[in-house]
Structure formats: structure tokens, C-alpha cells
């Protein structure tokens, strides 16, 4: 019997050279896969729940941390203490549910909203916060805007601002792993806006042609900065794009941690078994702006957001855990208090680092060894700073 | 010592490096059974299999992007871009990803690879099979840019490039692919990246070129010698890193410099060379530093020989500079 989530193939009766356009057809062919309803009730088959309660609790705590971190950092940006921030409020289940379904040896190729996954992969919270400050504790040595982290020990790669460029990197790494005989599966994230970019098309095409073990996770959060999904793609769903490339596609409730986890795990198992890549469309919503540089009130009526607040992924997991007796009110309070305390403490730790990385780091890592002109340019800059300290002052005209 | 052309030298270098290091892989359009449109990868798939010599779908951005992932994971990919003109669909991947990966990740990751591509005019290719886009990549921090002019250097530089920890753009002068023949040692040897070669010594004027233009410059120098003008000729071989020392020493000796390249003049690499020489040799100069280049037009089809800075135009510049 065909299960709800097995929706990748086009039914035989609809195959043929000529098909009339039927509005809504792909929404029916790619129904939203869900395991937990908004009130926390299990609505999917119990045997599809791949996570024991203890693991759900761990991810719940990570979602709470991710949410608190985002809220706190948005405030910090408003206070002028960090320059920029990209949050993932409302999208935590998509990010953490999918990352948690991967093996530790798998690689993650992030888009720019997945710092929750970086923390899950062991990036120390203090290192992430130092990245936001671009200070001496920043693993990226203050070279990128905030939220462009990389964490090699966790096989979490480096974030680029150009959209979707990481998709073919994921394909290449997974291809390399297969050539080396490793069981590694690559997971890569992008928004629905990213499906407009050429790297999405080339990446999916390359992966499908060679059956490369990649899980493509589209965080369909409804908006690409100010442009709604309908102005980003003519497709009714993102998942249906899988058909054209010759891979499996699945549409998942992106606010349902258990559904995202189960779907990603299935996709991973298929990839590992040599059955090729999967495109997962995680349907979620960006309840805040694209970044702190954005004010969604300019282009989005507030009433669009309200229904999504009711679908909050953290609230849903909380209800699920409470229903199962795995989370008591007092325990939830304790988790939240602990997260608040941790953030406060680590924030102080991060702010204690020197405000800037050392001058010479400007010239490091351009090449494996600095070229002669880079050495000369460092000397030139050092001499300029020594002659006039205003060189290092952001307000250069100040005396 | 066997005689080879540039294509054979490139093929030999790839073969030797693939034998030496199982992580070296080749990918691109038609590189497999067909051996590449210029046959640079001929026979490699037979020896190393389709898993190491990989035909890809037709998408340069995908080829380079995939190579980034392969390099991050520990392979040494050598992607081929069929013609340098088609490198622009991969430009974002090269400039924003390949070049920046080490820097932007604070040195946590790197993606060494060699992007091989035939460049340049003179083969009746029109403007989509003739461009000389080296400047775009020299201008991009994080990349090395290498342009051999002869089979010996092509082999030795390609082996160096494959072993280099940084990404290298390897521009092959396709006009000279089969025309430039020379003795090439069997087995492995390296020509270090970043060392220019003085191919002719002289005192009247320094001529600087790379790739196929070296041949035009060498011809012009020989014709000038018949007129009693002894030119010093430098084959740069590597544009980034640049052998500034050799260049400056030569111009301080001759007091005159002519830079020759086939890319358009404005913001071409000749402009950078002229600026460096002006900064470092100002008091030694007897004449303005002169450029003989392609023009600021797209590359033409019918008038390509007029467009290319060939020996007669170089010779004219030599006469003007020495009599300034």
C-alpha cells in the first residue's frame, strides 16, 4: 500500500506526452507529511516516529536555545553591539530536525540561517558569539559579516552570501566521499528563493545524473527578503521540482520536528543505499524579517504571520512532550532558565575577547603561504598605523 | 629526450600526477572517452577509469562548484573548462567560493584545485573561442594564475599547480597547443610557480609576454636583432604570484619596457606591470613603458590577425621605444 509520504513518483495514469495543466495537481501529489499536529497530538503512524523521548527533549532544548539566541541577538543588534543578524525564529524544527537525522560523519553545507545546526555539530556557543562580534575569538578571524560561520570539527562548512553556491559543493563532497568509499552523505540547506539560482539547477542535475548521496533541504519559509514565494517560482510546490531532475521529492511540515527528522532520515538511508539524492521541501514560515537590516512591515501584512505563530514548532514539541508525560511544567521552566543563564554567561565570555583580531591576520589565509606582495602590504599597513593611529579608527576623520 | 607539443605535455603531466596521487581526479565536459575537445585528457579514462576522469553535465558553474566540494573533502580535482570564454558561468564559483574559501573560513577549510582552460585567439574561433581573461583572475585575491608558453613549462608548471595548496587557474595557449614543440623530459619534474624566465638577454629594451604572445615577442626580438637592437625577452609564466624581481632587474638594466598581451588594453595585466615598473624603476626609465595589446573591443572573427599583437606591431613598438 502506498504510504502518505511516498509521493515522489508521478502516478501512472497521469503519465503521457500531453497533459492539461491542472491547478493544484502537485499539491495533491506532494501532500504535506506530518507526524505531530499543532496541539501536540501524534497524527502520523507511531512506527514512523524515529526519535525516542530523550532525544526529542535534547532537540527541544536546542530549539529553545536557538530561539533565545535569536531573540537576544536581535536585541543586541538593535543596541548596536553587533552589526547584523539573521535569525531563524519559527524555522527551528526544519533546521534541527534535519541536522539531527544525519550521522556525525556526514557533512553539512549551510545556507545562512542554520547556526542551530552549527551548535548541534559542536561549534562552541562562545565561538559563534565571537563570530557575531568579529572579535579576536572569531574562528573566521573577523572576515565575514555575522552569521557566516564555519566549523570544521563538526563538518559544518563555510557560509557564502551569494545564494545557493553551497549546493554544488555538497554534491562534490558527497561525490568525493563515494569515490573514496566513505559512507558520508551531504546535507545542504537553501531557501525557496535559492531554487531560482543557477547553482540549484546545476547542483540537483549533477547529483541526479550520478545518484550522488545528498539530501537537499529547502527551507521554504515563504519569503526571499521582500519577495513572496509566488514571485520566486511558478511551481505549486518546491518538492515537485524533483520530478524534472529525476530524483525523489517530498513535502514536509517544516514546523513538525518529528516529521522533518523522519523524512530526512529516510532520505539519508536512501542516499546511503545508493538510491540517489532527495529534495525535501520543508514548509515553514519566516515570522521575522529576513535579517536585522529588513523591516517586513514594509511589504507584508501582519495578518499573514498570525496563523504561523500558532504553528510554532517549539510550542508544538512542548505540547507533544507534555502529552507524553516526558516534560513537566517545572522542567520546561528549568530548561528555559538554564538557557537564559547560559546565554548571559557566554555572552560576557565572548565580549571579553579583544575587539579585533590581530592586524597581521588581515593578510593570512589568502594563500597557504603569504605571497611576497602580501608581506610588503602588511609592512606598509603597520607603518601607516604606527605613523597615525587613526588608520585603525572606524571614524577616520576624528582627531 | 622526447619531443612533445603542449597538448602532449599537459596530458603527460596529468597522467603522471594521477599515477602518483590517487586523489587527483579530472572532471569536465567531454573529458572522458572523447579525451577533451583538444585531446588533453586523451587516454586518461582508459588508464584511470570513469571514476577519476569524469564527464559532467554541461554547466561550468556546476563543474567548478562540484570541484570545490571534492577539494573540501580531500580530493585534488583538475576541472577542465572547454574554452576560457566559457569560464564566466563559473565566475561566481571561482571568485567568491574557490578563491575565498580559505580566507573566509579563517583557514579552517581550503579548496586546492587546478582549473585548466585553453585561452586566446588565432584559431578562427570568433569571440566565444578566443578570449584571454587572465586579468579577472589575477585581480582576485586567493587565486594563482599560470600561463605556460611551451611544452617543457606546460608539463612542469602543471605538475607544480596540481601539488600546490592553493587554487590555480591554468591558462593554456591553444593557438600554440600543437605549434609549439620542444624537448620534454620523461618522468616527473616541476617548474616552480612564480618564477619568470629570461629567454633572451639584451640591453636595449625589455619585452614582457606570456603564453602565445611570447612567440610573437620572440619573433619580434629576432627581427630587431637584425636591425641591431638587442632585446631582453621575459616569459612571465606565472602572473600571480609575479616574479617582480626578475622584471625589475631587467628594466633597471635596459631602461625600457614593452608589455605585450592579447587581452584588451584597458585594465589588462599590462597596466599592472606598467604601474609596478613605474613605481620601482622610475629613475632608470629612458622611455615611457609601452603596451602592445589587443583592442578594447570584443574579440573579432575575420580581423583576428589584425587584433592580435603580432610580431610586426611589437617590432614597431620596439623601434619607437628605443628611439624615444
Amino acid at each position: 500500500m502506498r504510504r502518505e509520504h511516498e509521493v515522489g513518483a508521478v502516478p501512472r495514469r497521469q503519465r503521457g506526452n500531453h497533459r492539461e495543466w491542472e491547478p493544484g495537481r502537485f499539491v495533491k501529489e506532494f501532500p504535506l507529511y506530518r507526524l505531530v499536529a499543532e496541539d501536540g497530538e501524534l497524527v502520523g503512524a507511531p512506527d514512523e516516529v524515529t526519535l525516542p523521548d530523550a532525544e526529542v527533549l535534547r532537540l527541544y532544548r536546542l530549539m529553545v536555545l536557538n530561539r533565545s539566541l535569536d531573540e537576544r541577538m536581535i536585541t543586541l543588534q538593535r543596541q548596536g553591539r553587533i552589526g547584523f543578524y539573521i535569525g531563524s525564529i519559527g524555522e527551528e524544527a526544519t533546521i534541527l530536525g534535519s541536522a539531527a537525522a544525519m550521522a556525525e560523519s556526514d557533512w553539512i553545507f549551510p545556507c545562512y540561517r542554520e547556526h542551530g545546526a552549527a551548535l548541534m555539530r559542536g561549534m562552541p556557543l562562545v565561538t559563534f558569539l565571537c563570530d557575531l562580534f568579529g572579535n579576536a575569538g572569531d574562528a573566521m578571524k573577523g572576515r565575514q559579516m555575522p552569521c557566516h560561520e564555519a566549523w570544521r570539527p563538526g563538518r559544518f562548512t563555510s557560509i557564502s552570501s551569494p545564494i545557493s553556491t553551497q549546493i554544488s559543493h555538497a554534491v562534490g563532497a558527497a561525490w568525493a566521499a563515494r569515490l573514496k568509499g566513505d559512507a558520508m552523505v551531504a546535507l545542504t540547506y537553501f531557501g525557496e528563493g535559492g531554487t531560482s539560482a543557477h547553482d540549484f539547477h546545476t547542483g540537483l542535475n549533477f547529483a541526479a545524473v550520478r545518484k550522488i548521496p545528498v539530501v537537499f533541504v529547502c527551507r521554504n519559509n515563504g519569503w526571499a527578503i521582500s519577495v513572496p514565494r509566488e514571485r520566486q517560482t511558478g511551481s505549486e510546490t518546491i518538492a515537485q521540482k524533483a520530478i524534472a531532475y529525476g530524483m525523489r521529492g517530498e513535502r514536509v511540515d517544516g514546523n513538525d520536528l518529528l516529521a522533518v527528522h523522519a523524512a530526512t532520515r529516510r532520505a539519508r538511508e536512501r542516499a546511503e543505499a545508493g538510491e540517489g539524492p532527495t529534495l525535501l521541501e520543508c514548509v515553514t514560515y519566516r515570522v521575522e524579517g529576513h535579517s536585522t537590516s529588513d523591516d517586513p512591515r514594509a511589504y507584508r501584512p501582519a495578518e499573514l504571520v498570525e496563523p504561523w505563530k500558532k504553528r510554532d514548532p517549539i510550542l508544538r514539541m512542548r505540547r507533544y512532550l507534555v502529552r507524553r508525560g516526558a516534560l513537566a511544567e517545572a522542567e520546561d521552566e528549568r530548561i528555559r532558565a538554564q538557557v537564559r543563564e547560559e546565554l548571559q554567561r557566554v555572552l560576557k565570555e565572548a565580549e571579553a575577547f579583544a575587539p579585533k583580531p590581530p592586524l597581521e591576520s588581515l593578510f593570512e589565509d589568502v594563500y597557504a603561504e603569504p605571497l611576497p606582495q602580501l608581506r610588503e602590504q602588511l609592512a606598509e599597513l603597520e607603518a601607516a598605523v604606527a605613523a597615525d593611529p587613526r588608520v585603525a579608527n572606524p571614524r577616520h576623520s576624528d582627531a | 629526450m622526447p619531443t612533445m607539443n603542449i597538448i602532449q605535455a599537459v596530458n603527460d603531466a596529468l597522467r603522471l600526477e594521477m599515477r602518483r596521487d590517487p586523489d587527483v581526479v579530472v572532471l569536465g565536459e567531454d573529458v572522458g572517452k572523447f579525451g577533451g575537445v583538444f585531446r588533453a585528457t586523451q587516454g586518461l579514462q582508459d588508464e584511470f577509469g570513469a571514476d577519476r576522469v569524469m564527464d559532467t553535465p554541461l554547466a561550468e558553474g556546476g563543474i567548478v562548484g562540484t570541484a570545490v566540494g571534492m577539494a573540501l573533502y580531500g580530493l585534488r580535482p583538475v576541472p577542465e573548462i572547454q574554452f576560457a570564454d566559457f569560464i564566466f558561468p563559473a565566475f561566481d564559483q571561482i571568485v567568491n567560493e574557490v578563491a575565498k574559501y580559505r580566507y573566509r573560513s579563517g583557514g579552517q577549510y581550503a579548496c586546492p584545485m587546478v582549473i585548466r582552460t585553453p585561452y586566446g585567439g588565432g584559431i578562427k574561433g570568433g569571440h566565444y573561442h578566443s578570449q584571454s581573461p587572465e586579468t579577472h583572475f589575477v585581480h582576485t585575491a586567493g587565486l594563482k594564475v599560470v600561463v605556460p608558453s611551451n611544452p617543457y613549462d606546460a608539463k612542469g608548471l602543471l605538475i607544480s599547480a596540481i601539488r600546490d595548496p592553493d587554487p590555480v587557474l591554468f591558462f593554456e595557449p591553444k593557438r600554440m597547443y600543437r605549434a609549439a614543440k620542444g624537448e620534454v623530459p620523461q618522468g616527473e619534474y616541476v617548474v616552480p610557480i612564480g618564477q619568470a624566465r629570461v629567454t633572451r638577454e639584451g640591453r636595449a629594451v625589455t619585452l614582457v609576454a606570456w603564453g602565445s604572445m611570447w612567440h610573437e615577442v620572440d619573433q619580434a626580438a629576432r627581427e630587431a636583432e637584425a636591425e641591431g637592437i638587442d632585446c631582453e625577452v621575459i616569459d612571465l609564466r606565472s602572473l600571480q604570484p609575479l616574479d617582480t624581481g626578475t622584471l625589475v632587474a631587467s628594466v633597471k638594466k635596459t631602461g625600457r619596457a614593452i608589455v605585450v598581451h592579447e587581452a584588451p588594453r584597458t585594465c589588462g595585466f599590462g597596466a599592472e606591470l606598467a604601474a609596478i615598473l613605474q613605481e620601482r624603476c622610475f629613475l632608470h626609465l629612458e622611455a615611457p613603458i609601452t603596451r602592445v595589446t589587443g583592442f578594447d573591443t570584443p574579440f573579432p572573427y575575420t580581423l583576428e590577425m589584425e587584433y592580435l599583437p603580432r610580431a610586426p606591431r611589437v617590432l614597431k613598438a620596439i623601434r619607437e621605444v628605443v628611439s624615444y
Side-chain angles (χ1 to χ4, degrees):
Chain A
M1 201 180 112
R2 191 161 163 261
R3 293 196 301 182
E4 260 307 271
H5 62 264
E6 288 176 340
V7 289
V10 179
R12 187 170 292 279
R13 64 189 155 77
Q14 290 184 17
R15 287 186 185 149
N17 291 333
H18 177 75
R19 287 191 302 200
E20 293 298 326
W21 172 250
E22 307 161 41
R25 193 186 118 208
F26 286 103
V27 175
K28 280 184 236 140
E29 275 188 30
F30 292 88
L32 208 60
Y33 173 65
R34 174 182 276 187
L35 286 175
V36 179
E38 280 149 29
D39 61 3
E41 194 191 341
L42 186 67
V43 290
D47 65 343
E48 288 182 25
V49 176
T50 45
L51 285 168
D53 287 346
E55 179 63 2
V56 179
L57 259 175
R58 184 181 78 93
L59 295 178
Y60 176 75
R61 189 191 176 280
L62 270 168
M63 289 206 291
V64 170
L65 172 66
N66 201 156
R67 174 74 55 93
S68 309
L69 176 66
D70 285 359
E71 287 169 347
R72 194 73 218 282
M73 293 305 115
I74 290 168
T75 307
L76 242 61
Q77 195 276 337
R78 303 273 184 259
Q79 294 168 345
R81 286 157 79 189
I82 59 173
F84 175 81
Y85 194 75
I86 293 192
S88 56
I89 292 176
E91 303 173 44
E92 296 91 345
T94 291
I95 296 160
L96 297 174
S98 54
M102 304 304 285
E104 208 179 310
S105 52
D106 293 337
W107 284 47
I108 294 180
F109 292 79
C111 170
Y112 48 60
R113 224 179 268 286
E114 294 89 14
H115 40 269
L119 299 177
M120 180 192 280
R121 283 305 186 105
M123 183 177 197
L125 183 57
V126 67
T127 310
F128 177 70
L129 294 179
C130 287
D131 163 56
L132 304 179
F133 292 114
N135 66 18
D138 176 13
M140 275 62 63
K141 305 186 188 177
R143 288 165 184 167
Q144 290 233 70
M145 285 170 75
C147 295
H148 286 67
E149 69 275 12
W151 189 244
R152 173 133 208 180
R155 289 158 295 281
F156 184 93
T157 60
S158 155
I159 292 169
S160 176
S161 296
I163 294 300
S164 287
T165 51
Q166 72 283 1
I167 294 178
S168 49
H169 303 172
V171 176
W175 194 340
R178 199 174 67 182
L179 297 178
K180 282 173 169 277
D182 300 344
M184 190 277 270
V185 176
L187 169 74
T188 183
Y189 294 100
F190 44 88
E192 83 286 353
T195 67
S196 305
H198 65 108
D199 282 307
F200 168 79
H201 302 286
T202 52
L204 266 68
N205 191 45
F206 272 55
V209 164
R210 295 280 186 154
K211 288 198 181 300
I212 305 297
V214 188
V215 183
F216 298 103
V217 174
C218 177
R219 251 187 319 86
N220 178 0
N221 65 10
W223 296 87
I225 306 188
S226 68
V227 180
R229 195 205 69 88
E230 304 74 51
R231 289 283 171 273
Q232 206 59 238
T233 175
S235 300
E236 286 173 351
T237 71
I238 301 295
Q240 77 195 56
K241 291 175 189 286
I243 298 172
Y245 294 105
M247 70 174 71
R248 184 189 165 90
E250 190 169 352
R251 204 151 145 265
V252 185
D253 183 334
N255 285 12
D256 178 348
L257 181 84
L258 299 193
V260 172
H261 186 274
T264 311
R265 194 161 113 167
R266 279 197 296 273
R268 194 200 172 278
E269 283 166 0
R270 292 183 65 255
E272 200 175 24
E275 292 168 38
T278 301
L279 171 60
L280 292 181
E281 174 187 2
C282 295
V283 182
T284 179
Y285 203 75
R286 199 194 75 201
V287 295
E288 296 288 330
H290 163 72
S291 73
T292 49
S293 305
D294 166 36
D295 181 0
R297 288 174 301 184
Y299 54 81
R300 185 172 71 179
E303 57 264 30
L304 283 181
V305 186
E306 283 314 308
W308 285 95
K309 290 192 172 163
K310 297 196 183 87
R311 294 171 200 156
D312 189 292
I314 297 181
L315 205 54
R316 194 184 305 189
M317 261 318 97
R318 182 168 181 261
R319 288 170 176 155
Y320 169 81
L321 287 165
V322 168
R323 271 172 185 267
R324 292 178 62 82
L327 180 68
E329 189 72 28
E331 172 66 1
D332 189 37
E333 269 314 308
R334 201 181 62 80
I335 290 173
R336 285 165 192 275
Q338 209 181 41
V339 162
R340 273 195 304 272
E341 183 279 324
E342 184 186 356
L343 262 178
Q344 194 56 29
R345 177 172 47 80
V346 180
L347 193 54
K348 274 193 192 140
E349 216 181 298
E351 285 186 300
F353 279 88
K356 287 184 185 182
L359 195 62
E360 60 271 21
S361 73
L362 178 61
F363 298 90
E364 290 167 359
D365 307 318
V366 184
Y367 298 91
E369 289 295 324
L371 301 187
Q373 71 261 37
L374 292 179
R375 291 203 184 91
E376 288 170 17
Q377 288 166 19
L378 169 61
E380 183 186 318
L381 179 58
E382 282 172 338
V385 173
D388 188 340
R390 288 180 304 167
V391 168
N393 189 326
R395 299 175 66 192
H396 59 84
S397 56
D398 288 2
Chain B
M1 205 182 289
T3 297
M4 288 186 190
N5 62 34
I6 292 178
I7 275 288
Q8 290 163 331
V10 166
N11 185 274
D12 195 31
L14 288 170
R15 188 182 305 276
L16 290 172
E17 284 302 283
M18 292 184 80
R19 281 181 189 160
R20 185 187 65 83
D21 180 355
D23 285 336
V24 177
V25 297
V26 166
L27 68 158
E29 296 157 16
D30 304 304
V31 298
K33 272 204 166 55
F34 190 51
V37 291
F38 289 100
R39 305 292 188 273
T41 57
Q42 194 163 39
L44 297 182
Q45 198 180 66
D46 290 340
E47 182 172 344
F48 302 103
D51 277 348
R52 289 185 67 197
V53 184
M54 298 170 273
D55 280 320
T56 65
L58 201 163
E60 287 77 11
I63 294 168
V64 175
T66 303
V68 170
M70 289 177 170
L72 291 175
Y73 197 75
L75 295 183
R76 283 282 170 142
V78 186
E80 177 181 290
I81 301 296
Q82 208 158 64
F83 285 85
D85 312 72
F86 308 147
I87 208 163
F88 294 106
F91 197 60
D92 177 48
Q93 281 288 347
I94 297 172
V95 167
N96 280 324
E97 307 295 322
V98 174
K100 305 297 193 298
Y101 223 108
R102 184 193 296 277
Y103 196 72
R104 78 180 195 212
S105 66
Q108 295 184 70
Y109 290 99
C111 46
M113 67 175 73
V114 183
I115 302 173
R116 288 185 40 248
T117 188
Y119 86 96
I123 55 130
K124 279 284 174 199
H127 69 233
Y128 291 122
H129 299 80
S130 306
Q131 292 175 68
S132 190
E134 66 274 18
T135 296
H136 297 284
F137 303 99
V138 182
H139 190 63
T140 300
L143 301 175
K144 291 180 176 172
V145 180
V146 172
V147 194
S149 68
N150 60 70
Y152 178 90
D153 285 350
K155 179 174 169 181
L157 284 167
L158 183 53
I159 290 175
S160 289
I162 292 171
R163 297 177 186 180
D164 199 278
D166 295 310
V168 180
L169 271 288
F170 197 82
F171 287 99
E172 296 165 8
K174 63 175 162 305
R175 182 180 162 206
M176 306 313 300
Y177 258 159
R178 293 175 197 282
K181 295 192 181 80
E183 288 191 336
V184 174
Q186 275 180 324
E188 297 170 21
Y189 66 92
V190 294
V191 172
I193 293 175
Q195 287 184 14
R197 191 165 73 98
V198 178
T199 63
R200 168 189 282 268
E201 292 194 15
R203 303 202 68 85
V205 55
T206 300
L207 308 180
V208 186
W210 52 93
S212 54
M213 283 303 107
W214 176 86
H215 298 269
E216 299 293 345
V217 161
D218 184 59
Q219 170 72 23
R222 278 188 270 126
E223 291 179 23
E225 190 178 34
E227 298 179 15
I229 306 169
D230 64 333
C231 300
E232 181 139 305
V233 177
I234 296 178
D235 181 357
L236 280 186
R237 304 198 287 197
S238 162
L239 311 188
Q240 183 72 283
L242 179 69
D243 185 354
T244 309
T246 297
L247 262 184
V248 167
S250 174
V251 175
K252 280 185 175 171
K253 179 176 76 174
T254 63
R256 295 175 171 86
I258 298 173
V259 181
V260 182
H261 63 67
E262 59 178 288
R265 186 170 307 160
T266 301
C267 291
F269 193 57
E272 177 62 30
L273 294 176
I276 290 172
L277 293 173
Q278 189 277 137
E279 285 169 354
R280 305 198 184 207
C281 307
F282 183 63
L283 294 175
H284 297 80
L285 290 175
E286 304 287 343
I289 300 157
T290 297
R291 290 176 285 171
V292 183
T293 67
F295 301 106
D296 291 341
T297 70
F299 196 95
Y301 179 65
T302 304
L303 296 174
E304 69 172 345
M305 286 305 164
E306 290 83 346
Y307 177 93
L308 286 171
R310 295 173 61 229
R313 268 172 65 200
V314 179
L315 185 62
K316 179 171 176 289
I318 294 170
R319 290 180 188 134
E320 286 167 6
V321 164
V322 296
S323 62
Y324 181 80

